Amino acid sequence: MKKRILATLLSTTMVLGMLAGCATSGSSESDSSESSDGEKVVLTFLNKYPEDPYAQYFEDAVAAFEEENPNIDIQMENVSDEAIKDKLTTMAAGGEMSDIFFSWTGERVKRFARNDLALDLTPYLEADAEWADGFLPAFLANSTLDGSTYAIPFRSGIMYFVYNKQVFEDYNLEVPETWDEFIAICEKLKDTDVTPIAFGNSAAWYSSWWIGLLNAMMVPAETMNADYTPETGEFTDPTYEKAVQTFLDLNTNGYFGDNVNAKDYYEVREGFCAGQYAMMLDATPQFTQYDDGMGAENWGYFKVPVMEGAAGDPGTIGGGGEAWMISKSCAHPDEAVAFLKFMTTLEQGQKQTKESGLPNALKGGITADNATEALANAYADAEGYTNIADWLDCAIEASIADQYMVSLQEGFDGKSAADIMKDVQEAAKKVREEYAK
């Protein structure tokens, strides 16, 4: 039953914003690849970056590992963002995963772990403290279930607000540190020619970034963890409704401008770069878009302002990551772990970012040598965060996330926060009932 549910969940379309057929079983191929006389160990590797410059980087990295480890053969299959969703679904339904396989972090990692498809990597991390301590804590923590780690993060995205420096100078604005200061800026700008916040929701995935962040800020961590687990999710705590109301108020008060459901993320991002908006919520992988769109000297970023008195975890920030997992049925887990260790050394992680542009998830991994000044500074600032609140469509069961986004879109057209949460609660009830069968 669980495998059928997992297949259904993984098949639902997920939009990251930025960020085919059944594969040969990792265990069966590996079993036939090694004999007692020391033949090569063959490991299958399902990855998600077939386009250049990503593909070339991963091909070179695999070749470098094989040169250092001539007894190991990494057979990489690199498929697109959409194709890998189908492929993971097919493999999960059959209970046969590649030896090493890609996953988004958060709930998607947890699904594989719950369904007994992923190897518990905790013993390997405990045995190599240097390796474990090398990751940004928030991203490694986001690959755990019940205290055990099941995935190794290699790509990271962290949410910040970007702002137009000229607008802030023209209106004598200071970078806000608290939510009240942030709202005060919005109030000061809302009757000017500059819209306070760039936001468009015709493609509703962007609202999932916002509400996922607000939930993390306003909902007690234990409550959110229980509700984000499919078997126990209820979403009845009143702080969820408060988070939705906070989000809707930004629109009602005019901080988003007009007709948000008629605009999309890309349209308002262009408007921000053109000086039509003062601020915009975005993720670090998109920072280069602002360099290209308006010049690196004309924009800045700031941490999401602290909401004083809120019940959420102040060490949590919105964002998301990508990770690699090892199949529980992998016949050669030590060699698979050795490959992941190689791919996530500081040297290799820095090379990943420099050569492919994919931000790594390592302490000190984003520097002035492999990234822009803003990106390097943003990652240095992020080292104090202890947890990542995933994009909502990665953090919770897919049908609940879909309902959240649809109902929020209706909220911008007048639906109440209470009714939005009733919709979400009903979707969560159906998921609980499905898991109970």
Side-chain angles (χ1 to χ4, degrees):
M1 180 62 199
K2 283 187 175 181
K3 290 175 182 176
R4 182 173 68 81
I5 292 172
L6 178 66
T8 301
L9 300 182
L10 286 170
S11 65
T12 302
T13 301
M14 182 193 74
V15 182
L16 285 172
M18 320 283 138
L19 9 10
C22 182
T24 302
S25 166
S27 57
S28 63
E29 184 163 1
S30 296
D31 286 341
S32 64
S33 67
E34 184 185 60
S35 64
S36 58
D37 58 3
E39 292 182 5
K40 276 191 176 184
V41 168
V42 177
L43 296 172
T44 55
F45 174 33
L46 178 61
N47 202 24
K48 190 192 72 76
Y49 286 99
E51 310 89 358
D52 282 329
Y54 315 124
Q56 189 61 57
Y57 162 73
F58 286 112
E59 289 170 8
D60 292 345
V62 167
F65 173 79
E66 290 177 333
E67 184 175 355
E68 288 188 12
N69 299 272
N71 63 314
I72 304 176
D73 179 14
I74 303 293
Q75 297 187 352
M76 179 174 64
E77 182 179 8
N78 220 353
V79 300
S80 68
D81 183 90
E82 288 302 320
I84 202 166
K85 296 169 190 173
D86 293 335
K87 197 165 189 70
L88 287 170
T89 298
T90 302
M91 290 194 299
E96 296 183 337
M97 311 302 295
S98 295
D99 290 313
I100 304 161
F101 59 95
F102 168 92
S103 176
W104 290 272
T105 55
E107 172 60 20
R108 299 192 175 246
V109 164
K110 294 174 185 177
R111 290 173 191 168
F112 290 114
R114 287 193 201 101
N115 285 270
D116 208 29
L117 294 171
L119 182 69
D120 182 358
L121 301 174
T122 309
Y124 293 97
L125 291 161
E126 290 178 343
D128 190 342
E130 183 178 356
W131 184 40
D133 292 342
F135 296 97
L136 291 168
F139 289 95
L140 193 60
N142 210 30
S143 297
T144 64
L145 175 67
D146 298 332
S148 295
T149 301
Y150 289 91
I152 300 300
F154 72 92
R155 186 194 180 191
S156 60
I158 303 167
M159 280 198 278
Y160 287 93
F161 277 100
V162 296
Y163 71 98
N164 184 307
K165 289 184 177 180
Q166 188 62 54
V167 169
F168 269 53
E169 181 179 336
D170 290 345
Y171 290 92
N172 195 28
L173 303 172
E174 298 290 335
V175 168
E177 294 184 0
T178 69
W179 192 258
D180 287 344
E181 292 172 354
F182 174 69
I183 295 300
I185 290 174
C186 295
E187 276 293 310
K188 188 170 184 178
L189 290 174
K190 74 174 186 178
D191 293 324
T192 70
D193 292 335
V194 179
T195 302
I197 304 170
F199 177 77
N201 199 47
S202 61
W205 61 264
Y206 191 36
S207 66
S208 79
W209 286 22
W210 274 90
I211 196 61
L213 177 63
L214 289 168
N215 281 353
M217 295 168 71
M218 301 178 70
V219 180
E222 289 185 4
T223 300
M224 195 169 74
N225 289 338
D227 288 322
Y228 281 25
T229 301
E231 296 93 334
T232 58
E234 295 184 351
F235 295 88
T236 55
D237 191 285
T239 51
Y240 287 110
E241 185 177 328
K242 290 180 181 178
V244 170
Q245 190 62 59
T246 298
F247 191 23
L248 297 181
D249 285 347
L250 296 175
N251 183 58
T252 303
N253 292 333
Y255 305 154
F256 289 156
D258 299 325
N259 303 316
V260 296
N261 283 336
K263 305 169 186 174
D264 68 13
Y265 161 88
Y266 300 99
E267 179 182 352
V268 298
R269 189 176 72 185
E270 289 180 4
F272 172 85
C273 291
Q276 298 169 11
Y277 301 92
M279 300 174 286
M280 183 169 181
L281 182 68
D282 214 335
T284 48
Q286 309 307 315
F287 273 16
T288 56
Q289 299 295 328
Y290 299 103
D291 288 345
D292 297 341
M294 59 193 300
E297 70 280 5
N298 295 317
W299 69 279
Y301 73 90
F302 57 87
K303 283 186 172 183
V304 174
V306 175
M307 190 176 287
E308 295 176 320
D313 175 14
T316 295
I317 185 58
E322 295 175 348
W324 291 309
M325 307 182 73
I326 296 175
S327 171
K328 189 170 183 179
S329 63
C330 176
H332 306 289
D334 291 349
E335 288 83 356
V337 169
F339 176 64
L340 295 191
K341 283 188 177 183
F342 172 86
M343 295 295 285
T344 55
T345 60
L346 183 57
E347 178 184 0
Q348 196 64 37
Q350 289 175 337
K351 186 180 293 186
Q352 170 188 301
T353 301
K354 185 172 185 176
E355 295 183 4
S356 73
L358 298 175
N360 60 71
L362 299 166
K363 293 176 182 176
I366 310 292
T367 70
D369 292 331
N370 65 4
T372 64
E373 181 180 358
L375 192 63
N377 289 339
Y379 274 85
D381 289 343
E383 291 190 9
Y385 290 120
T386 56
N387 191 34
I388 288 290
D390 271 298
W391 334 114
L392 195 72
D393 53 3
C394 289
I396 62 177
E397 194 277 331
S399 64
I400 303 173
D402 289 345
Q403 185 61 65
Y404 237 127
M405 289 184 283
V406 168
S407 295
L408 284 170
Q409 203 165 44
E410 294 171 347
F412 292 123
D413 287 330
K415 193 168 197 170
S416 72
D419 286 342
I420 289 171
M421 288 314 304
K422 286 179 182 177
D423 293 344
V424 173
Q425 290 158 10
E426 184 59 32
K429 180 181 177 182
K430 290 179 181 177
V431 169
R432 289 198 314 275
E433 291 172 347
E434 185 70 12
Y435 268 80
K437 292 179 181 178

